[in-house]
Amino acid sequence: MIVLKATQDKVLAALQAVAGIVERRHTLPILANVLIRKSGGSLELTTSDLEIQVRTTAELGGDAGDFSTTVGARKLIDILRSMPSDQTVSLTVNGSKLNLQGGKSRFTLQTLPSEDFPLVQEAADFGPAFSVPQKTLKALINQVHFSMAVHDIRYYLNGILFVAEGKNLTLVATDGHRLALAQAELETEIPKQEVILPRKTVLELMRLLKDGKGDEENQPIEMRFAGNQAKFSFSGMEFVTKLVEGKFPDYNRVIPKNHKFNVTLGRTTLLSSLQRAAILTSEKFKAVRLSFEPGLLSIASSNAEQEEAKEEIEIDYGGDLIETGFNVTYLMDVLQNMSQDMVSIDLNDSSASALITIPEQSGFKYVVMPMRI
């Protein structure tokens, strides 16, 4: 039986869509494989790591009929990548093996039985479905993902909080030193649902979501949340993931209010100055000192070798002198993940957290705690 027969670029695109979660080394060898199911003329590709399951359906030619097997996902991708994109490739069944052929190249691949592949059991209690354009969700994730914790003992910080309530979708991420929040409006009102998506899920969604031009960027992504699972459907794909259990911190309490002083300045100017100052920060602390005084922002850094950097930016500011310190990486992260021209910084005093916002986008907030320098 010919399982598929199509050009290399089509087959590779379908495989790469599901292969992002596949680990090369796994305690269960079958989890390194992709589950291939042929039903009539359509082909279904599924991968899993027991926490996340990704499935896509594609029309890739071949014989009509029912067939299923599993084969090494990364191996298949590596072979396909080595072939020209316009070359026709075919996958045929040969007993317990699969033959992959393209031009004068032939490969024989070992398979494992499809019935041994551990599919994720979907939850029965999914809440109401809601959707946003893929471009919108990708933009929200881009604005907060860098604030997620990495391998934190407070496991509920190793991901992003999704809150859908009324007509609002809010994404929040924090590692305890900084917090990022981004909001978008939903088309329909839905009852409050609150889940924490794991870090790996967030990064995989970022990879898969489309933000291309034309109709592609407006294609919706449908979301459904259950007690211990989330399900996303978009672009012919289905993505099911376990959730992080635990109570996310009350983010509203962290966001400072009633600031005395505000500065609005060019994002790229500030980012360039911080990048230059960062060169002479110490490897361990990454600290920069910011001094706000009427008409001027000074940025200074130094290191253990007693080297120093100083940058000055003219600003529209008429308040008191404020000298404060921050981890320069935290400031650069937020500026690098924005596309807007202007950025606004709200401050109270030298020891208070700073609030960074975007003047033309009210739904974004970034809080960064000061450092003692």
Side-chain angles (χ1 to χ4, degrees), residues 263-276 290-299 310-317 335 343 345:
V263 180
T264 300
L265 68 163
R267 179 184 68 87
T268 50
T269 305
L270 177 58
L271 178 58
S272 300
S273 294
L274 289 169
Q275 285 170 329
R276 288 190 291 268
L290 271 59
S291 300
F292 295 86
E293 55 186 290
L296 193 69
L297 166 61
S298 301
I299 300 168
K310 189 167 183 185
E311 293 276 332
E312 289 186 346
I313 303 171
E314 289 183 10
I315 54 173
D316 182 12
Y317 175 71
L335 297 171
V343 62
I345 304 172

PDB file of all heavy atoms in Angstrom, residues 263-276 290-299 310-317 335 343 345:
ATOM      1  N   VAL A 263       7.348  59.047  32.324  1.00  0.00           N
ATOM      2  CA  VAL A 263       8.247  59.419  31.233  1.00  0.00           C
ATOM      3  C   VAL A 263       7.846  58.623  30.001  1.00  0.00           C
ATOM      4  O   VAL A 263       7.674  57.399  30.081  1.00  0.00           O
ATOM      5  CB  VAL A 263       9.718  59.081  31.577  1.00  0.00           C
ATOM      6  CG1 VAL A 263      10.631  59.479  30.424  1.00  0.00           C
ATOM      7  CG2 VAL A 263      10.154  59.763  32.846  1.00  0.00           C
ATOM      8  N   THR A 264       7.686  59.292  28.877  1.00  0.00           N
ATOM      9  CA  THR A 264       7.429  58.601  27.609  1.00  0.00           C
ATOM     10  C   THR A 264       8.595  58.905  26.667  1.00  0.00           C
ATOM     11  O   THR A 264       8.956  60.071  26.493  1.00  0.00           O
ATOM     12  CB  THR A 264       6.098  59.060  26.979  1.00  0.00           C
ATOM     13  OG1 THR A 264       5.037  58.767  27.901  1.00  0.00           O
ATOM     14  CG2 THR A 264       5.828  58.335  25.672  1.00  0.00           C
ATOM     15  N   LEU A 265       9.197  57.843  26.121  1.00  0.00           N
ATOM     16  CA  LEU A 265      10.360  58.045  25.254  1.00  0.00           C
ATOM     17  C   LEU A 265      10.397  56.991  24.151  1.00  0.00           C
ATOM     18  O   LEU A 265       9.627  56.021  24.166  1.00  0.00           O
ATOM     19  CB  LEU A 265      11.658  58.047  26.057  1.00  0.00           C
ATOM     20  CG  LEU A 265      12.149  56.758  26.715  1.00  0.00           C
ATOM     21  CD1 LEU A 265      13.624  56.900  27.076  1.00  0.00           C
ATOM     22  CD2 LEU A 265      11.356  56.412  27.957  1.00  0.00           C
ATOM     23  N   GLY A 266      11.295  57.171  23.190  1.00  0.00           N
ATOM     24  CA  GLY A 266      11.410  56.253  22.055  1.00  0.00           C
ATOM     25  C   GLY A 266      11.939  54.899  22.480  1.00  0.00           C
ATOM     26  O   GLY A 266      12.944  54.810  23.198  1.00  0.00           O
ATOM     27  N   ARG A 267      11.270  53.847  22.048  1.00  0.00           N
ATOM     28  CA  ARG A 267      11.654  52.488  22.441  1.00  0.00           C
ATOM     29  C   ARG A 267      13.045  52.103  21.924  1.00  0.00           C
ATOM     30  O   ARG A 267      13.875  51.580  22.671  1.00  0.00           O
ATOM     31  CB  ARG A 267      10.609  51.489  21.910  1.00  0.00           C
ATOM     32  CG  ARG A 267      10.915  50.034  22.240  1.00  0.00           C
ATOM     33  CD  ARG A 267       9.889  49.114  21.606  1.00  0.00           C
ATOM     34  NE  ARG A 267      10.005  49.110  20.150  1.00  0.00           N
ATOM     35  CZ  ARG A 267      10.826  48.307  19.464  1.00  0.00           C
ATOM     36  NH1 ARG A 267      11.614  47.466  20.103  1.00  0.00           N
ATOM     37  NH2 ARG A 267      10.868  48.345  18.144  1.00  0.00           N
ATOM     38  N   THR A 268      13.309  52.369  20.641  1.00  0.00           N
ATOM     39  CA  THR A 268      14.595  51.938  20.066  1.00  0.00           C
ATOM     40  C   THR A 268      15.774  52.715  20.660  1.00  0.00           C
ATOM     41  O   THR A 268      16.851  52.164  20.864  1.00  0.00           O
ATOM     42  CB  THR A 268      14.599  52.088  18.527  1.00  0.00           C
ATOM     43  OG1 THR A 268      14.153  53.409  18.190  1.00  0.00           O
ATOM     44  CG2 THR A 268      13.678  51.079  17.871  1.00  0.00           C
ATOM     45  N   THR A 269      15.541  53.994  20.973  1.00  0.00           N
ATOM     46  CA  THR A 269      16.603  54.807  21.598  1.00  0.00           C
ATOM     47  C   THR A 269      16.976  54.232  22.959  1.00  0.00           C
ATOM     48  O   THR A 269      18.156  54.059  23.283  1.00  0.00           O
ATOM     49  CB  THR A 269      16.120  56.266  21.772  1.00  0.00           C
ATOM     50  OG1 THR A 269      15.701  56.771  20.516  1.00  0.00           O
ATOM     51  CG2 THR A 269      17.208  57.156  22.343  1.00  0.00           C
ATOM     52  N   LEU A 270      15.939  53.918  23.762  1.00  0.00           N
ATOM     53  CA  LEU A 270      16.175  53.362  25.093  1.00  0.00           C
ATOM     54  C   LEU A 270      16.829  51.988  24.992  1.00  0.00           C
ATOM     55  O   LEU A 270      17.794  51.693  25.716  1.00  0.00           O
ATOM     56  CB  LEU A 270      14.845  53.270  25.851  1.00  0.00           C
ATOM     57  CG  LEU A 270      14.881  52.648  27.251  1.00  0.00           C
ATOM     58  CD1 LEU A 270      15.838  53.412  28.172  1.00  0.00           C
ATOM     59  CD2 LEU A 270      13.488  52.593  27.873  1.00  0.00           C
ATOM     60  N   LEU A 271      16.332  51.148  24.082  1.00  0.00           N
ATOM     61  CA  LEU A 271      16.876  49.795  23.929  1.00  0.00           C
ATOM     62  C   LEU A 271      18.351  49.839  23.522  1.00  0.00           C
ATOM     63  O   LEU A 271      19.181  49.119  24.094  1.00  0.00           O
ATOM     64  CB  LEU A 271      16.058  49.015  22.894  1.00  0.00           C
ATOM     65  CG  LEU A 271      16.527  47.590  22.581  1.00  0.00           C
ATOM     66  CD1 LEU A 271      16.556  46.722  23.836  1.00  0.00           C
ATOM     67  CD2 LEU A 271      15.637  46.942  21.516  1.00  0.00           C
ATOM     68  N   SER A 272      18.706  50.694  22.570  1.00  0.00           N
ATOM     69  CA  SER A 272      20.104  50.792  22.119  1.00  0.00           C
ATOM     70  C   SER A 272      21.022  51.222  23.261  1.00  0.00           C
ATOM     71  O   SER A 272      22.118  50.677  23.435  1.00  0.00           O
ATOM     72  CB  SER A 272      20.224  51.803  20.969  1.00  0.00           C
ATOM     73  OG  SER A 272      19.443  51.403  19.878  1.00  0.00           O
ATOM     74  N   SER A 273      20.567  52.196  24.057  1.00  0.00           N
ATOM     75  CA  SER A 273      21.369  52.661  25.194  1.00  0.00           C
ATOM     76  C   SER A 273      21.571  51.555  26.227  1.00  0.00           C
ATOM     77  O   SER A 273      22.669  51.371  26.760  1.00  0.00           O
ATOM     78  CB  SER A 273      20.695  53.867  25.862  1.00  0.00           C
ATOM     79  OG  SER A 273      20.685  54.974  24.990  1.00  0.00           O
ATOM     80  N   LEU A 274      20.503  50.811  26.507  1.00  0.00           N
ATOM     81  CA  LEU A 274      20.591  49.711  27.484  1.00  0.00           C
ATOM     82  C   LEU A 274      21.512  48.601  26.973  1.00  0.00           C
ATOM     83  O   LEU A 274      22.286  48.019  27.738  1.00  0.00           O
ATOM     84  CB  LEU A 274      19.196  49.141  27.770  1.00  0.00           C
ATOM     85  CG  LEU A 274      18.253  50.042  28.581  1.00  0.00           C
ATOM     86  CD1 LEU A 274      16.836  49.499  28.557  1.00  0.00           C
ATOM     87  CD2 LEU A 274      18.734  50.180  30.039  1.00  0.00           C
ATOM     88  N   GLN A 275      21.440  48.297  25.669  1.00  0.00           N
ATOM     89  CA  GLN A 275      22.298  47.248  25.096  1.00  0.00           C
ATOM     90  C   GLN A 275      23.776  47.620  25.210  1.00  0.00           C
ATOM     91  O   GLN A 275      24.620  46.763  25.491  1.00  0.00           O
ATOM     92  CB  GLN A 275      21.919  47.004  23.629  1.00  0.00           C
ATOM     93  CG  GLN A 275      20.616  46.222  23.480  1.00  0.00           C
ATOM     94  CD  GLN A 275      20.097  46.182  22.050  1.00  0.00           C
ATOM     95  OE1 GLN A 275      20.310  47.122  21.280  1.00  0.00           O
ATOM     96  NE2 GLN A 275      19.404  45.129  21.689  1.00  0.00           N
ATOM     97  N   ARG A 276      24.073  48.903  25.007  1.00  0.00           N
ATOM     98  CA  ARG A 276      25.470  49.333  25.138  1.00  0.00           C
ATOM     99  C   ARG A 276      25.923  49.287  26.600  1.00  0.00           C
ATOM    100  O   ARG A 276      27.011  48.810  26.901  1.00  0.00           O
ATOM    101  CB  ARG A 276      25.635  50.753  24.569  1.00  0.00           C
ATOM    102  CG  ARG A 276      25.555  50.799  23.041  1.00  0.00           C
ATOM    103  CD  ARG A 276      25.972  52.157  22.499  1.00  0.00           C
ATOM    104  NE  ARG A 276      25.005  53.205  22.836  1.00  0.00           N
ATOM    105  CZ  ARG A 276      23.981  53.561  22.056  1.00  0.00           C
ATOM    106  NH1 ARG A 276      23.783  52.936  20.905  1.00  0.00           N
ATOM    107  NH2 ARG A 276      23.166  54.543  22.411  1.00  0.00           N
ATOM    108  N   LEU A 290      19.589  53.721  36.678  1.00  0.00           N
ATOM    109  CA  LEU A 290      18.843  54.726  35.917  1.00  0.00           C
ATOM    110  C   LEU A 290      18.614  55.951  36.788  1.00  0.00           C
ATOM    111  O   LEU A 290      18.142  55.820  37.925  1.00  0.00           O
ATOM    112  CB  LEU A 290      17.483  54.172  35.466  1.00  0.00           C
ATOM    113  CG  LEU A 290      17.434  53.448  34.103  1.00  0.00           C
ATOM    114  CD1 LEU A 290      18.385  52.263  34.083  1.00  0.00           C
ATOM    115  CD2 LEU A 290      16.014  52.987  33.793  1.00  0.00           C
ATOM    116  N   SER A 291      18.989  57.122  36.277  1.00  0.00           N
ATOM    117  CA  SER A 291      18.765  58.380  36.998  1.00  0.00           C
ATOM    118  C   SER A 291      17.857  59.273  36.162  1.00  0.00           C
ATOM    119  O   SER A 291      18.222  59.668  35.046  1.00  0.00           O
ATOM    120  CB  SER A 291      20.084  59.104  37.254  1.00  0.00           C
ATOM    121  OG  SER A 291      20.945  58.301  38.019  1.00  0.00           O
ATOM    122  N   PHE A 292      16.666  59.546  36.716  1.00  0.00           N
ATOM    123  CA  PHE A 292      15.719  60.442  36.045  1.00  0.00           C
ATOM    124  C   PHE A 292      15.828  61.822  36.691  1.00  0.00           C
ATOM    125  O   PHE A 292      15.675  61.956  37.907  1.00  0.00           O
ATOM    126  CB  PHE A 292      14.281  59.931  36.211  1.00  0.00           C
ATOM    127  CG  PHE A 292      14.022  58.606  35.537  1.00  0.00           C
ATOM    128  CD1 PHE A 292      14.295  57.400  36.185  1.00  0.00           C
ATOM    129  CD2 PHE A 292      13.498  58.555  34.253  1.00  0.00           C
ATOM    130  CE1 PHE A 292      14.051  56.181  35.573  1.00  0.00           C
ATOM    131  CE2 PHE A 292      13.244  57.343  33.626  1.00  0.00           C
ATOM    132  CZ  PHE A 292      13.517  56.151  34.283  1.00  0.00           C
ATOM    133  N   GLU A 293      16.120  62.826  35.888  1.00  0.00           N
ATOM    134  CA  GLU A 293      16.119  64.195  36.385  1.00  0.00           C
ATOM    135  C   GLU A 293      15.511  65.075  35.299  1.00  0.00           C
ATOM    136  O   GLU A 293      15.376  64.634  34.144  1.00  0.00           O
ATOM    137  CB  GLU A 293      17.544  64.636  36.731  1.00  0.00           C
ATOM    138  CG  GLU A 293      18.542  64.483  35.597  1.00  0.00           C
ATOM    139  CD  GLU A 293      19.952  64.788  36.062  1.00  0.00           C
ATOM    140  OE1 GLU A 293      20.209  65.977  36.320  1.00  0.00           O
ATOM    141  OE2 GLU A 293      20.775  63.848  36.157  1.00  0.00           O
ATOM    142  N   PRO A 294      15.099  66.292  35.624  1.00  0.00           N
ATOM    143  CA  PRO A 294      14.416  67.125  34.626  1.00  0.00           C
ATOM    144  C   PRO A 294      15.175  67.182  33.292  1.00  0.00           C
ATOM    145  O   PRO A 294      16.342  67.582  33.241  1.00  0.00           O
ATOM    146  CB  PRO A 294      14.350  68.498  35.302  1.00  0.00           C
ATOM    147  CG  PRO A 294      14.265  68.168  36.763  1.00  0.00           C
ATOM    148  CD  PRO A 294      15.145  66.962  36.941  1.00  0.00           C
ATOM    149  N   GLY A 295      14.515  66.687  32.241  1.00  0.00           N
ATOM    150  CA  GLY A 295      15.063  66.751  30.886  1.00  0.00           C
ATOM    151  C   GLY A 295      16.071  65.677  30.524  1.00  0.00           C
ATOM    152  O   GLY A 295      16.532  65.611  29.385  1.00  0.00           O
ATOM    153  N   LEU A 296      16.447  64.798  31.493  1.00  0.00           N
ATOM    154  CA  LEU A 296      17.549  63.867  31.211  1.00  0.00           C
ATOM    155  C   LEU A 296      17.379  62.517  31.913  1.00  0.00           C
ATOM    156  O   LEU A 296      17.035  62.446  33.091  1.00  0.00           O
ATOM    157  CB  LEU A 296      18.871  64.493  31.660  1.00  0.00           C
ATOM    158  CG  LEU A 296      20.157  63.815  31.171  1.00  0.00           C
ATOM    159  CD1 LEU A 296      20.327  63.998  29.669  1.00  0.00           C
ATOM    160  CD2 LEU A 296      21.360  64.387  31.929  1.00  0.00           C
ATOM    161  N   LEU A 297      17.652  61.444  31.155  1.00  0.00           N
ATOM    162  CA  LEU A 297      17.744  60.092  31.723  1.00  0.00           C
ATOM    163  C   LEU A 297      19.180  59.629  31.549  1.00  0.00           C
ATOM    164  O   LEU A 297      19.707  59.592  30.432  1.00  0.00           O
ATOM    165  CB  LEU A 297      16.789  59.133  31.001  1.00  0.00           C
ATOM    166  CG  LEU A 297      17.013  57.628  31.261  1.00  0.00           C
ATOM    167  CD1 LEU A 297      16.846  57.281  32.737  1.00  0.00           C
ATOM    168  CD2 LEU A 297      16.061  56.776  30.405  1.00  0.00           C
ATOM    169  N   SER A 298      19.839  59.301  32.673  1.00  0.00           N
ATOM    170  CA  SER A 298      21.209  58.771  32.624  1.00  0.00           C
ATOM    171  C   SER A 298      21.180  57.275  32.930  1.00  0.00           C
ATOM    172  O   SER A 298      20.494  56.838  33.866  1.00  0.00           O
ATOM    173  CB  SER A 298      22.100  59.473  33.653  1.00  0.00           C
ATOM    174  OG  SER A 298      22.120  60.861  33.402  1.00  0.00           O
ATOM    175  N   ILE A 299      21.906  56.506  32.143  1.00  0.00           N
ATOM    176  CA  ILE A 299      22.000  55.053  32.342  1.00  0.00           C
ATOM    177  C   ILE A 299      23.468  54.733  32.579  1.00  0.00           C
ATOM    178  O   ILE A 299      24.332  55.090  31.772  1.00  0.00           O
ATOM    179  CB  ILE A 299      21.484  54.288  31.105  1.00  0.00           C
ATOM    180  CG1 ILE A 299      20.010  54.648  30.827  1.00  0.00           C
ATOM    181  CG2 ILE A 299      21.632  52.782  31.281  1.00  0.00           C
ATOM    182  CD1 ILE A 299      19.498  54.170  29.475  1.00  0.00           C
ATOM    183  N   LYS A 310      28.382  54.894  30.504  1.00  0.00           N
ATOM    184  CA  LYS A 310      27.356  55.890  30.832  1.00  0.00           C
ATOM    185  C   LYS A 310      26.671  56.359  29.547  1.00  0.00           C
ATOM    186  O   LYS A 310      27.331  56.661  28.554  1.00  0.00           O
ATOM    187  CB  LYS A 310      27.962  57.089  31.563  1.00  0.00           C
ATOM    188  CG  LYS A 310      26.878  58.030  32.093  1.00  0.00           C
ATOM    189  CD  LYS A 310      27.393  59.046  33.089  1.00  0.00           C
ATOM    190  CE  LYS A 310      26.228  59.896  33.607  1.00  0.00           C
ATOM    191  NZ  LYS A 310      26.654  60.971  34.489  1.00  0.00           N
ATOM    192  N   GLU A 311      25.354  56.363  29.583  1.00  0.00           N
ATOM    193  CA  GLU A 311      24.541  56.791  28.448  1.00  0.00           C
ATOM    194  C   GLU A 311      23.614  57.907  28.919  1.00  0.00           C
ATOM    195  O   GLU A 311      23.156  57.889  30.071  1.00  0.00           O
ATOM    196  CB  GLU A 311      23.674  55.618  27.943  1.00  0.00           C
ATOM    197  CG  GLU A 311      24.451  54.475  27.325  1.00  0.00           C
ATOM    198  CD  GLU A 311      24.772  54.722  25.862  1.00  0.00           C
ATOM    199  OE1 GLU A 311      24.010  55.454  25.188  1.00  0.00           O
ATOM    200  OE2 GLU A 311      25.798  54.188  25.385  1.00  0.00           O
ATOM    201  N   GLU A 312      23.332  58.854  28.038  1.00  0.00           N
ATOM    202  CA  GLU A 312      22.389  59.928  28.379  1.00  0.00           C
ATOM    203  C   GLU A 312      21.336  60.052  27.284  1.00  0.00           C
ATOM    204  O   GLU A 312      21.666  60.015  26.094  1.00  0.00           O
ATOM    205  CB  GLU A 312      23.120  61.266  28.565  1.00  0.00           C
ATOM    206  CG  GLU A 312      23.958  61.307  29.834  1.00  0.00           C
ATOM    207  CD  GLU A 312      24.565  62.683  30.090  1.00  0.00           C
ATOM    208  OE1 GLU A 312      24.563  63.517  29.157  1.00  0.00           O
ATOM    209  OE2 GLU A 312      25.044  62.925  31.220  1.00  0.00           O
ATOM    210  N   ILE A 313      20.077  60.185  27.695  1.00  0.00           N
ATOM    211  CA  ILE A 313      18.967  60.367  26.747  1.00  0.00           C
ATOM    212  C   ILE A 313      18.170  61.595  27.187  1.00  0.00           C
ATOM    213  O   ILE A 313      17.799  61.706  28.369  1.00  0.00           O
ATOM    214  CB  ILE A 313      18.029  59.130  26.736  1.00  0.00           C
ATOM    215  CG1 ILE A 313      18.804  57.856  26.391  1.00  0.00           C
ATOM    216  CG2 ILE A 313      16.876  59.330  25.745  1.00  0.00           C
ATOM    217  CD1 ILE A 313      17.989  56.568  26.564  1.00  0.00           C
ATOM    218  N   GLU A 314      17.911  62.493  26.254  1.00  0.00           N
ATOM    219  CA  GLU A 314      17.056  63.649  26.576  1.00  0.00           C
ATOM    220  C   GLU A 314      15.609  63.181  26.657  1.00  0.00           C
ATOM    221  O   GLU A 314      15.129  62.473  25.770  1.00  0.00           O
ATOM    222  CB  GLU A 314      17.204  64.734  25.496  1.00  0.00           C
ATOM    223  CG  GLU A 314      18.548  65.433  25.531  1.00  0.00           C
ATOM    224  CD  GLU A 314      18.648  66.549  24.498  1.00  0.00           C
ATOM    225  OE1 GLU A 314      17.615  66.893  23.890  1.00  0.00           O
ATOM    226  OE2 GLU A 314      19.766  67.071  24.302  1.00  0.00           O
ATOM    227  N   ILE A 315      14.922  63.580  27.749  1.00  0.00           N
ATOM    228  CA  ILE A 315      13.533  63.146  27.938  1.00  0.00           C
ATOM    229  C   ILE A 315      12.657  64.323  28.346  1.00  0.00           C
ATOM    230  O   ILE A 315      13.152  65.339  28.856  1.00  0.00           O
ATOM    231  CB  ILE A 315      13.427  62.031  29.023  1.00  0.00           C
ATOM    232  CG1 ILE A 315      14.079  62.483  30.360  1.00  0.00           C
ATOM    233  CG2 ILE A 315      14.007  60.726  28.537  1.00  0.00           C
ATOM    234  CD1 ILE A 315      13.868  61.530  31.513  1.00  0.00           C
ATOM    235  N   ASP A 316      11.370  64.146  28.145  1.00  0.00           N
ATOM    236  CA  ASP A 316      10.397  65.152  28.567  1.00  0.00           C
ATOM    237  C   ASP A 316       9.945  64.784  29.974  1.00  0.00           C
ATOM    238  O   ASP A 316       9.008  64.019  30.176  1.00  0.00           O
ATOM    239  CB  ASP A 316       9.205  65.145  27.595  1.00  0.00           C
ATOM    240  CG  ASP A 316       8.174  66.217  27.959  1.00  0.00           C
ATOM    241  OD1 ASP A 316       8.496  67.088  28.792  1.00  0.00           O
ATOM    242  OD2 ASP A 316       7.048  66.164  27.422  1.00  0.00           O
ATOM    243  N   TYR A 317      10.682  65.312  30.966  1.00  0.00           N
ATOM    244  CA  TYR A 317      10.417  64.959  32.366  1.00  0.00           C
ATOM    245  C   TYR A 317      10.719  66.164  33.233  1.00  0.00           C
ATOM    246  O   TYR A 317      11.772  66.796  33.093  1.00  0.00           O
ATOM    247  CB  TYR A 317      11.305  63.767  32.770  1.00  0.00           C
ATOM    248  CG  TYR A 317      11.211  63.377  34.232  1.00  0.00           C
ATOM    249  CD1 TYR A 317      10.073  62.770  34.733  1.00  0.00           C
ATOM    250  CD2 TYR A 317      12.278  63.611  35.103  1.00  0.00           C
ATOM    251  CE1 TYR A 317       9.991  62.391  36.069  1.00  0.00           C
ATOM    252  CE2 TYR A 317      12.217  63.236  36.436  1.00  0.00           C
ATOM    253  CZ  TYR A 317      11.069  62.628  36.918  1.00  0.00           C
ATOM    254  OH  TYR A 317      10.989  62.261  38.240  1.00  0.00           O
ATOM    255  N   LEU A 335      11.479  45.419  25.854  1.00  0.00           N
ATOM    256  CA  LEU A 335      11.627  46.331  24.710  1.00  0.00           C
ATOM    257  C   LEU A 335      11.831  45.561  23.400  1.00  0.00           C
ATOM    258  O   LEU A 335      11.354  45.972  22.344  1.00  0.00           O
ATOM    259  CB  LEU A 335      12.788  47.299  24.949  1.00  0.00           C
ATOM    260  CG  LEU A 335      12.620  48.244  26.149  1.00  0.00           C
ATOM    261  CD1 LEU A 335      13.911  48.993  26.426  1.00  0.00           C
ATOM    262  CD2 LEU A 335      11.474  49.224  25.931  1.00  0.00           C
ATOM    263  N   VAL A 343       7.450  54.070  24.361  1.00  0.00           N
ATOM    264  CA  VAL A 343       7.228  53.302  25.579  1.00  0.00           C
ATOM    265  C   VAL A 343       7.091  54.277  26.741  1.00  0.00           C
ATOM    266  O   VAL A 343       7.698  55.350  26.751  1.00  0.00           O
ATOM    267  CB  VAL A 343       8.392  52.302  25.800  1.00  0.00           C
ATOM    268  CG1 VAL A 343       9.715  53.029  25.984  1.00  0.00           C
ATOM    269  CG2 VAL A 343       8.134  51.399  26.984  1.00  0.00           C
ATOM    270  N   ILE A 345       7.140  54.871  30.990  1.00  0.00           N
ATOM    271  CA  ILE A 345       7.628  54.339  32.269  1.00  0.00           C
ATOM    272  C   ILE A 345       7.022  55.163  33.401  1.00  0.00           C
ATOM    273  O   ILE A 345       7.135  56.388  33.417  1.00  0.00           O
ATOM    274  CB  ILE A 345       9.175  54.402  32.356  1.00  0.00           C
ATOM    275  CG1 ILE A 345       9.810  53.662  31.166  1.00  0.00           C
ATOM    276  CG2 ILE A 345       9.671  53.814  33.673  1.00  0.00           C
ATOM    277  CD1 ILE A 345      11.320  53.840  31.057  1.00  0.00           C
TER     278      ILE A 345
END
